[in-house]
Amino acid sequence: MKLPTTRTLCLLLAVIAFTDSGCRAIRRFGESRQSIAARRLSGQGFQAIHDGQWEIAESLFSDALDVSKTDDRAHWGLAEAFWNRSDHERAIEHMEHAVRLSAGDPKFVQRLGRMYLELGRLKEADEHSLWALELKRDSAEAWALRGDCLKAAEETDDALAAYHRALALQPDYPEVQLQAAEIYLIEHRFDRVLATLDRL
């Protein structure tokens, strides 16, 4: 029996390596096409939300996830669609997926914290407010969430400090201004109430 030459073995190894890398490239190309298709559907979903067409948006985000389960924006959009129709548990589930798949996008972390807070899950909301600030300290939304968590815990001085940080970053922030005014009202600091409302 004739043994293969060194040249023949090298040629066989090269073919195997090329075939393997080719398969990986084809697989990556397929995944890339899926990702692009899912992103396109998600974009259409957010446009539908903008137009107030929530049912269409929900359908588009679901289609996006059928194409690619790893599309963080589709999970985010579906979370917003479920939240809009008060299906809070499913909204939370998809928002948690969005946070995980995005590797902790500050915007997603802050939104999930806000959802937790609105459901009265204060501990989780508080954790996410701190996490959002670790990720992006110059986010007015994250400071607003932090202030709301502290206000819910009746830590009004710290809440006011957080609101002031939010307003330093975004002076025109009615929700934060109203929350601050409410604290001033509780504390009978009526001059501060009037000054805050005047800026509105």
Side-chain angles (χ1 to χ4, degrees):
M1 178 180 173
K2 187 178 178 182
L3 293 172
T5 64
T6 304
R7 184 178 176 184
T8 305
L9 285 171
C10 289
L11 184 60
L12 281 169
L13 288 171
V15 169
I16 291 167
F18 178 77
T19 304
D20 183 51
S21 63
C23 289
R24 282 201 302 272
I26 291 168
R27 191 161 53 247
R28 280 197 301 271
F29 179 69
E31 289 170 357
S32 176
R33 288 184 62 183
Q34 285 181 313
S35 177
I36 291 168
R39 290 275 169 173
R40 186 179 299 116
L41 287 165
S42 293
Q44 293 169 2
F46 284 110
Q47 183 59 51
I49 287 179
H50 183 266
D51 296 338
Q53 299 174 319
W54 286 93
E55 288 185 12
I56 293 172
E58 185 176 326
S59 176
L60 286 164
F61 292 128
S62 295
D63 289 345
L65 289 178
D66 286 340
V67 173
S68 174
K69 298 291 186 192
T70 60
D71 185 359
D72 54 354
R73 283 169 51 85
H75 281 289
W76 172 32
L78 200 52
E80 297 295 357
F82 284 139
W83 191 264
N84 181 67
R85 62 181 173 93
S86 299
D87 191 346
H88 295 146
E89 288 308 311
R90 283 210 283 178
I92 290 284
E93 180 185 339
H94 281 283
M95 204 66 229
E96 287 172 343
H97 281 307
V99 168
R100 186 165 56 254
L101 289 168
S102 69
D105 184 305
K107 159 173 85 261
F108 294 168
V109 172
Q110 181 268 326
R111 181 63 181 122
L112 180 55
R114 176 67 59 190
M115 287 179 172
Y116 283 139
L117 183 62
E118 290 186 29
L119 292 179
R121 294 165 63 171
L122 187 55
K123 182 176 183 296
E124 290 149 301
D126 191 63
E127 289 170 354
H128 280 71
S129 74
L130 291 169
W131 185 11
L133 285 172
E134 283 177 17
L135 294 166
K136 192 173 182 184
R137 290 197 71 79
D138 62 347
S139 166
E141 292 82 6
W143 280 109
L145 174 61
R146 185 76 195 126
D148 290 345
C149 289
L150 290 164
K151 183 171 179 279
E154 299 183 351
E155 298 178 34
T156 53
D157 288 344
D158 289 337
L160 271 176
Y163 290 144
H164 287 153
R165 290 291 295 269
L167 291 171
L169 292 162
Q170 184 180 319
D172 183 21
Y173 203 150
E175 295 87 352
V176 171
Q177 288 164 292
L178 286 171
Q179 293 282 41
E182 187 178 323
I183 292 175
Y184 289 136
L185 186 61
I186 291 168
E187 295 179 346
H188 297 167
R189 296 166 66 181
F190 301 119
D191 56 333
R192 297 299 302 160
V193 173
L194 291 172
T196 303
L197 294 179
D198 186 55
R199 281 198 297 272
L200 276 169

